[in-house]
Amino acid sequence: MIVATQLDQQCVNTIRFLSVDMVQKANSGHPGLPLGAAPMAYVLWTRWLRYNPKNPHWFNRDRFVLSAGHGSALLYSLLHLTGYDLSLDDIKQFRQWGSKAPGHPERGHTPGVETTTGPLGQGFGNAVGMAIAEAQLAACYNRPGHALIDHHTFAIVSDGDLMEGVSSEAASLAGHLKLGKLTCLYDDNYVTLSAGTDISFTENRALRFEAYGWHTISVADGNDVEAIDAALAAAYAETARPSLILVRTHIGFGSPEQDSFKAHGSALGVDDVRKTKQTLGWPTEPDFLIPDEALAHFREAVVRGAQDEAAWNDRMSAYTKAFPDMAEELRYRLRDELPSGWDTDIPVFDADAKGLATRDASGKVMNAIAPKLHALTGGSADLDPSTKTALKGMGDFNPPLLKNADKQGSDSAGWSYAGRNLHFGVREHAMGAIVNGLAAHGGFIPYGSTFLIFSDYMRPSIRLAALMGLHVVHVFTHDSIAVGEDGPTHQPVEQLAGLRAIPDLIVIRPGDANETAVAWRVALETPNRPVLLVLTRQALPTLDRSRYAAADGLRRGAYVLSDAQNGKPDLILIASGSEVALVVAAQQKLLAEKIQVRIVSMPSWELFDAQPLEYCNAVLPPAVGARLAVEAGVSQGWHRYVGSRGDVLAVDRFGASAPGALVMREYGFTVDTVCARAKALLVG
Ligand SMILES: Cc1ncc(C[n+]2csc(CCOP(=O)(O)OP(=O)(O)O)c2C)c(N)n1
């Protein structure tokens, strides 16, 4: 082993034992990763990473992602030592109620934590998203002599991260995109939670990443700080490919359980903590020891960070003088604000019995907004001809200077990182993690898109977007059994219920083109929650809003679209999306039979649940117990709105392959069935 300077060694051990003591005090956590990965973290955070501990939001900072979030103690040690607002007392409360140092890193909870990690592989995808964000902003805003946006993205990733499919998807795309400012340090310790990697993970990781188009560097000894430093220098120098630095480490380094999975995920125990300290030449007392020289060295980050930020602020001033309009636009984006007039071109759709699919309405709305709202950037998992999410004339995000020969059949001359259409390929899960990375980076309202059925492939990322409160939008089309011929594999049934079950997520299933336009407004105006738009493939009538209530009612989640003629409903028909037109037709038929019906359009449970009780009771009066909800998805959850005397016309089985209109009919989505089920509620 190459011996580092005494100070280096002392700093590395400070990280190690702060982490070990944190875990030991909590009697919970993961000491193995910090013991092994402390040297790479030390070199990165003291020599390469640019950040300002006193302003974690400084925009041009490098982004750091601890994708192996179980190693949270490592990150908290780094944040405390370098001077973030995370005190020694805070980290002594590791994993306790109300602590600023929770079990896994949580964005928005601990200053300096860029993204929430723990579910393995997600952080890797987030890092790719952050690198895309940097490249896109740089291409759009930098000008000769004004390298305003110019930073790197680093991640520490583990075996588990690289085993998860999402990281393979994201790595493949990152290689294709030639994201030269992305560097992943791989904690290559040959051990996972339950065993050695020899039982399940034996491919040549370096060759795998090279095949993806990455630059790889191996560091044979994870304690060799100069080798790590040299590897980082090489990664910096490589600007045309992302870099993977494979650092051979030892889990639980120095402890009696070194190189065993037993060092992975539980406190070492008092005896083994003592032995580990003795082995590595560290005083056994006191706990949470931070030598003055080590602290002083780490805290140089505060001065460095202030200087870096000040220099950048000067650059921003010069940029503002030279390019005032672009600077103004960028400032809006960095504050996640909508520029004034962003919505003036949103179309109003005329009443039309034939109507259009809500996916088509969505595409028109997006394209009306995109020219004024530059933050709106995203794409689909190879489905934009179907999901209608392409932003026309906004260019494709792809590496510049790609040879025509590399791409078949189309002209690559216009490729650039300035493009706003992201092509995720058939990689839904990575799409979910990448848009989270774009949102966490800042400067974007990113969107992803696929068929609703394939939202299942990206559920973990959607859940994390909700947990983090990220401003992302997903456009999920082909939203029911009405998809038709493609059959039950492509017909979502339980997906709506599953997505509605995720806290802090807003799911909107608009009923016509004008509701779709309002849904987009809600999605863009809601800065701290992900919003999912659930849209049809088939055409829906565009309601005559002079006859029916204004589509703006969507903002409240549910609204009275059409009331009983006499103002005293015998029953209420509630529907979302494509079933709204169906209940509107049923209302006419029931009226002919002198049954007074109220129609409630209910595109979003979450928005409705957030309304005051008086409003909810005004829309769904408790006195009217005869309520039928109609939705082409599972009934689960609807009973909350129809009550004990109500009923739900739903799809509680898988769909079937046949023309969509026929499948809908066979599954009971007809005016006659709606009327029969509704009338049954009036009996007795
Ligand atoms: C998606 C996901 N699956 C499972 C887990 C539970 N888990 C936590 S760490 C880990 C594996 C640890 O192996 P490695 O990534 O090599 O980390 P190390 O043991 O080296 O710290 C597992 C399975 C998880 N956090 N995320």
Side-chain angles (χ1 to χ4, degrees):
M1 186 177 95
I2 296 171
V3 180
T5 67
Q6 237 184 340
L7 181 61
D8 288 336
Q9 198 55 49
Q10 192 182 48
C11 288
V12 168
N13 281 336
T14 303
I15 296 173
R16 283 188 170 127
F17 290 110
L18 266 186
S19 306
V20 162
D21 288 341
M22 234 185 277
V23 173
Q24 186 58 37
K25 183 162 188 295
N27 198 21
S28 170
H30 300 76
L33 184 148
L35 281 169
M40 66 175 96
Y42 164 70
V43 176
L44 178 62
W45 279 64
T46 57
R47 301 189 191 177
W48 293 96
L49 198 71
R50 287 180 311 173
Y51 53 99
N52 182 359
K54 298 304 171 201
N55 180 11
H57 303 293
W58 168 42
F59 193 73
N60 200 42
R61 68 192 182 278
D62 289 341
R63 304 305 195 267
F64 173 77
V65 175
L66 181 65
S67 188
H70 59 275
S72 56
L74 173 77
L75 181 52
Y76 300 144
S77 299
L78 292 163
L79 292 173
H80 171 69
L81 290 168
T82 54
Y84 281 84
D85 180 17
L86 187 69
S87 70
L88 197 54
D89 284 338
D90 289 330
I91 64 175
K92 286 180 182 171
Q93 292 302 307
F94 180 55
R95 292 189 156 226
Q96 303 309 303
W97 178 260
S99 165
K100 269 167 92 172
H104 290 84
E106 292 181 33
R107 176 185 163 86
H109 192 93
T110 312
V113 171
E114 301 280 1
T115 182
T116 297
T117 52
L120 290 163
Q122 294 293 330
F124 190 113
N126 297 162
V128 172
M130 291 173 186
I132 289 174
E134 193 272 346
Q136 213 272 354
L137 286 175
C140 286
Y141 291 96
N142 290 357
R143 290 292 177 272
H146 294 271
L148 192 62
I149 308 294
D150 180 17
H151 63 81
H152 287 70
T153 302
F154 294 95
I156 289 183
V157 306
S158 66
D159 294 308
D161 283 307
L162 297 194
M163 278 192 260
E164 289 291 352
V166 61
S167 63
S168 302
E169 294 178 20
S172 162
L173 185 58
H176 163 78
L177 291 174
K178 304 183 188 299
L179 299 173
K181 285 170 150 178
L182 171 65
T183 299
C184 293
L185 288 148
Y186 169 30
D187 181 34
D188 189 7
N189 65 19
Y190 288 78
V191 176
T192 61
L193 184 149
S194 66
T197 51
D198 55 330
I199 64 163
S200 62
F201 188 45
T202 48
E203 80 260 24
N204 184 319
R205 271 83 85 178
L207 289 182
R208 179 180 139 201
F209 272 74
E210 279 166 29
Y212 288 146
W214 286 55
H215 162 229
T216 69
I217 313 154
S218 291
V219 174
D221 179 355
N223 288 312
D224 185 344
V225 295
E226 295 314 325
I228 294 167
D229 190 58
L232 280 163
Y236 240 76
E238 169 63 66
T239 56
R241 291 176 294 173
S243 294
L244 181 75
I245 305 178
L246 301 96
V247 189
R248 177 58 170 116
T249 58
H250 296 269
I251 193 166
F253 182 76
S255 76
E257 302 292 2
Q258 176 180 320
D259 295 320
S260 160
F261 70 90
K262 292 183 186 144
H264 162 81
S266 45
L268 296 176
V270 175
D271 285 351
D272 280 2
V273 168
R274 194 186 61 250
K275 285 182 196 155
T276 310
K277 287 179 177 174
Q278 284 167 343
T279 302
L280 296 183
W282 196 249
T284 52
E285 282 183 343
D287 292 343
F288 296 98
L289 173 66
I290 303 177
D292 291 343
E293 317 82 76
L295 186 63
H297 185 47
F298 280 114
R299 289 282 160 97
E300 287 165 15
V302 174
V303 177
R304 220 171 32 235
Q307 286 168 350
D308 283 348
E309 182 172 352
W312 189 76
N313 288 338
D314 289 346
R315 262 147 68 194
M316 185 71 188
S317 302
Y319 184 84
T320 306
K321 279 206 193 89
F323 310 101
D325 294 347
M326 284 200 299
E328 168 83 350
E329 182 184 286
L330 186 60
R331 284 202 171 88
Y332 268 109
R333 293 183 62 165
L334 304 195
R335 292 193 302 259
D336 195 16
E337 281 174 15
L338 300 167
S340 60
W342 69 275
D343 57 351
T344 46
D345 297 330
I346 294 179
V348 174
F349 296 91
D350 293 336
D352 177 4
K354 194 165 138 277
L356 74 168
T358 47
R359 63 170 171 158
D360 287 314
S362 166
K364 289 182 196 302
V365 172
M366 291 175 75
N367 276 287
I369 295 169
K372 287 186 180 154
L373 188 62
H374 294 193
L376 187 66
T377 298
S380 78
D382 193 35
L383 281 174
D384 48 271
S386 298
T387 60
K388 313 289 180 188
T389 43
L391 301 180
K392 296 183 188 85
M394 298 299 167
D396 295 321
F397 180 88
N398 249 316
L401 305 176
L402 201 81
K403 300 258 186 309
N404 277 314
D406 287 350
K407 197 174 170 245
Q408 286 176 352
S410 61
D411 175 22
S412 64
W415 284 24
S416 138
Y417 282 143
R420 287 167 60 188
N421 289 292
L422 304 180
H423 296 285
F424 295 103
V426 193
R427 301 183 184 96
E428 292 84 6
H429 199 174
M431 175 170 73
I434 287 170
V435 294
N436 287 354
L438 279 152
H441 178 278
F444 292 89
I445 306 176
Y447 67 88
S449 178
T450 181
F451 293 160
L452 178 60
I453 191 73
F454 302 132
S455 63
D456 284 350
Y457 277 55
M458 48 195 296
R459 187 174 175 84
S461 305
I462 294 173
R463 182 176 191 275
L464 282 167
L467 181 59
M468 286 189 254
L470 293 178
H471 195 183
V472 306
V473 183
H474 286 297
V475 178
F476 292 140
T477 65
H478 297 58
D479 71 345
S480 76
I481 53 172
V483 163
E485 291 87 344
D486 277 339
T489 54
H490 285 52
Q491 294 170 357
V493 173
E494 75 282 20
Q495 281 62 34
L496 266 172
L499 293 166
R500 285 171 177 154
I502 299 177
D504 294 339
L505 190 65
I506 296 176
V507 181
I508 309 180
R509 187 169 184 249
D512 77 347
N514 286 307
E515 277 196 10
T516 305
V518 181
W520 261 108
R521 285 178 186 273
V522 171
L524 297 171
E525 290 167 359
T526 308
N528 51 6
R529 285 172 79 175
V531 177
L532 311 184
L533 305 181
V534 176
L535 307 175
T536 65
R537 172 190 184 222
Q538 75 276 25
L540 304 181
T542 305
L543 296 175
D544 179 355
R545 296 287 167 173
S546 64
R547 241 181 104 195
Y548 296 99
D552 217 43
L554 175 140
R555 290 178 179 280
R556 308 192 82 168
Y559 64 103
V560 179
L561 182 68
S562 164
D563 208 355
Q565 215 176 33
N566 65 359
K568 292 188 201 141
D570 301 318
L571 68 86
I572 304 175
L573 295 178
I574 313 168
S576 80
S578 46
E579 287 66 70
V580 171
L582 180 63
V583 296
V584 164
Q587 183 195 36
Q588 300 303 316
K589 184 157 188 248
L590 290 166
L591 187 61
E593 299 179 34
K594 307 250 176 327
I595 299 172
Q596 295 287 335
V597 178
R598 169 179 286 191
I599 301 292
V600 171
S601 174
M602 191 167 200
S604 173
W605 293 4
E606 300 79 16
L607 294 176
F608 185 62
D609 292 347
Q611 301 305 314
L613 188 62
E614 309 87 76
Y615 178 79
C616 298
N617 286 342
V619 174
L620 299 174
V624 185
R627 303 177 190 176
L628 179 70
V630 184
E631 187 175 75
V634 295
S635 59
Q636 188 179 329
W638 273 109
H639 294 93
R640 191 151 121 235
Y641 302 106
V642 297
S644 57
R645 289 176 44 216
D647 192 10
V648 187
L649 175 56
V651 181
D652 285 314
R653 58 191 165 120
F654 288 120
S657 169
L662 180 67
V663 178
M664 287 294 270
R665 235 177 12 251
E666 290 292 330
Y667 277 66
F669 290 90
T670 63
V671 172
D672 286 347
T673 308
V674 171
C675 292
R677 294 275 287 265
K679 282 197 282 187
L681 296 172
L682 297 174
V683 179

